[in-house]
Amino acid sequence: MLFLAGTLSLFFALGISLIANSARAADGPQTICPGEIWPDDRGQHIQAHGGGILKRGDTYYWFGEDRTRGLSRDKRYVACYSSTDLAHWTFRNQVVALADPENLGPGWVLERPKVFYNSQSNKFVMYAHIDDGRYKYASVAVLTCDTVHGNYRYVKSFRPLNHESRDIGQFIDDDGTAYLIFEDRPYGFRIAKLSADYMSIEKEMCLIPRHMEGGALVHYKGLYYAIGSSLTGWNPNPNRFATATNLAGPWSEFKNIADPETKTYGSQSTMMLKVVGTKTTTVIFMGDIWRPQMQWDSRYLWMPLEIGDGKLWLSKPAPWTLDIKTGEVTVEK
Ligand code: GAL
C-alpha cells in the first residue's frame, strides 16, 4: 500500500512537471528580446542567421542559415520557421541540406538565403550567396520548391548581370515587384529586378557606388530607405542608411543608423520588415549578432525603427512587444 502510494505520488509529480513544461513550451516568449537566446516551439535557439522573411497570408516564414552545432561539415543548411505574431516561431523544416553543388571545396559557403514566392510558376524561389572558402566564386545560388517549407532543390548558380555578388538582400515592393540586392565588390551596392519567373535577373535598377554588405530596403511613406554595413567580416561596424524617392536614385548621402560607437549595438543588418497594422505601420530592423567561433550561438537584434521624413534611427535595444493586428509596439523602458 505504502509502495503504491509512493509510486502514485511520483507519477503525479512527474505528470505535473510534464504539463508545466509543455505549457511553457507552448507559451514561449511573447516579448522579443534582442540579443538573447530566441527559443522556437521546441525550446531550441532559432537557427535562421543572415535570414529573410516571406509573408504568405497571415503567416510569416523566417528562413536563414542553420548553423546548429554538430551538423555535417560538408553540407550547408537552411532552416525555416513560421509565425503569425513575429514573436513565437514554430520550426517547420530544414529546407536545405546541400552538399557542395559546384565543387567549391572544403569551406564552401551558402549564406544569407532569401525566399520569394512566384505566382506565375507557383513556386518558391530561394536565392543565397554561394562561394568557395576564399570568397572568390562570388555568385548567387537558386533553389526552388513547390511548397513553402518543403525540401528545396538546387537549380543553378550564376553571377547576377555578370557581376560579383557576395552578401545578398531581398526586397518586395508594395506593388509586389521582387528585387535582389547584392554586394558587388569592385563597384558597390546594386539593386536588381528579378525576371518574371524569378529564376534570373531582368535588369539593374541602380548601382550605389558604396561598398556595403547586409543590404536591406524598405518602402515607407513614399520614400525608399536602404541600409547596409561596412565590410568588416563578422565584426560589427556602424551600419548606415540612405533614402531615395525612386529605386533608381538619386540616393542621399549615407548616415549612421545608430551612435557609431555602438557599432550597431554589435549587429549587422540583414533585412527590414514592414508590418502594416490597422493603427500604424512599424518597420523592424533585423540584424545578426555574429559569434564566428560559435556560429550556432549567433543572436538576433530585432528592433522597431524610428523612421519617417527621410530619417531612420535604431534605438538602444530593449525587450519589446508587437501587436501584429494594430502594428503598435511597446518597448520596455
Ligand atoms: C560578412 C557577411 C557575412 C559573412 C561574413 C564572412 O561581412 O555579411 O554574411 O559572409 O562576412 O566573413
Side-chain angles (χ1 to χ4, degrees):
M1 191 61 194
L2 245 181
F3 171 75
L4 186 66
T7 315
L8 273 177
S9 62
L10 183 67
F11 273 126
F12 186 65
L14 259 179
I16 292 289
S17 86
L18 280 179
I19 288 164
N21 276 336
S22 63
R24 209 174 300 139
D27 288 348
Q30 259 170 10
T31 306
I32 296 176
C33 300
E36 292 187 15
I37 289 282
W38 196 338
D40 66 9
D41 61 310
R42 305 167 301 176
Q44 297 177 20
H45 182 45
I46 291 172
Q47 293 293 323
H49 313 287
I53 300 253
L54 175 69
K55 192 179 180 210
R56 301 277 300 142
D58 287 338
T59 306
Y60 294 88
Y61 294 92
W62 182 2
F63 296 85
E65 300 159 24
D66 178 355
R67 294 180 177 269
T68 302
R69 195 174 193 177
L71 290 175
S72 162
R73 286 170 160 269
D74 301 330
K75 292 187 175 176
R76 301 293 173 265
Y77 303 87
V78 176
C80 174
Y81 301 80
S82 71
S83 175
T84 49
D85 65 3
L86 295 173
H88 299 82
W89 290 94
T90 302
F91 172 76
R92 290 295 170 187
N93 187 21
Q94 192 176 59
V95 294
V96 175
L98 185 67
D100 190 358
E102 303 285 358
N103 291 314
L104 296 164
W108 76 283
V109 163
L110 192 80
E111 292 179 336
R112 297 188 175 268
K114 306 282 179 281
V115 174
F116 301 86
Y117 169 68
N118 187 270
S119 56
Q120 185 183 308
S121 63
N122 201 21
K123 282 194 191 306
F124 295 86
V125 182
M126 180 188 292
Y127 276 75
H129 168 202
I130 185 167
D131 226 320
D132 60 280
R134 295 177 57 236
Y135 287 85
K136 297 285 179 230
Y137 190 64
S139 299
V140 291
V142 180
L143 301 91
T144 61
C145 192
D146 292 336
T147 54
V148 61
H149 51 71
N151 300 323
Y152 281 68
R153 190 178 59 87
Y154 182 80
V155 180
K156 62 179 175 181
S157 71
F158 66 96
R159 282 190 165 178
L161 304 167
N162 293 321
H163 293 298
E164 292 185 20
S165 173
R166 291 186 177 81
D167 277 12
I168 60 161
Q170 102 186 96
F171 173 58
I172 298 170
D173 208 341
D174 298 335
D175 64 2
T177 313
Y179 300 92
L180 185 76
I181 304 158
F182 62 101
E183 190 259 321
D184 175 6
R185 194 60 50 90
Y187 297 100
F189 184 106
R190 291 189 194 266
I191 303 168
K193 185 178 171 210
L194 297 184
S195 65
D197 63 0
Y198 294 179
M199 297 302 286
S200 59
I201 306 295
E202 183 178 305
K203 63 168 181 181
E204 177 165 302
M205 303 304 295
C206 87
L207 162 67
I208 305 178
R210 293 273 310 214
H211 298 287
M212 306 199 90
E213 295 188 321
L217 266 171
V218 73
H219 193 178
Y220 180 79
K221 296 196 176 164
L223 266 187
Y224 291 94
Y225 294 75
I227 289 188
S229 76
S230 301
L231 279 55
T232 55
W234 300 118
N235 298 320
N237 56 62
N239 293 189
R240 297 199 168 84
F241 82 98
T243 59
T245 48
N246 194 303
L247 270 188
W251 287 85
S252 70
E253 275 305 295
F254 277 81
K255 295 186 189 133
N256 288 317
I257 70 166
D259 176 352
E261 292 197 347
T262 71
K263 296 185 176 168
T264 323
Y265 307 101
S267 74
Q268 181 186 22
S269 55
T270 185
M271 191 166 188
M272 279 183 278
L273 182 63
K274 186 163 81 170
V275 177
V276 182
T278 52
K279 289 196 182 152
T280 189
T281 296
T282 289
V283 178
I284 301 171
F285 172 86
M286 293 169 51
D288 294 287
I289 301 175
W290 299 109
R291 298 208 162 154
Q293 305 308 320
M294 298 188 296
Q295 283 288 17
W296 57 88
D297 195 32
S298 292
R299 306 292 173 89
Y300 309 99
L301 192 160
W302 286 24
M303 275 299 283
L305 286 166
E306 291 167 36
I307 188 169
D309 299 326
K311 299 193 186 81
L312 182 153
W313 192 251
L314 175 66
S315 54
K316 190 165 177 259
W320 60 286
T321 53
L322 168 70
D323 183 326
I324 200 76
K325 293 223 162 57
T326 65
E328 293 167 309
V329 300
T330 311
V331 180
E332 281 180 21
K333 288 267 153 39

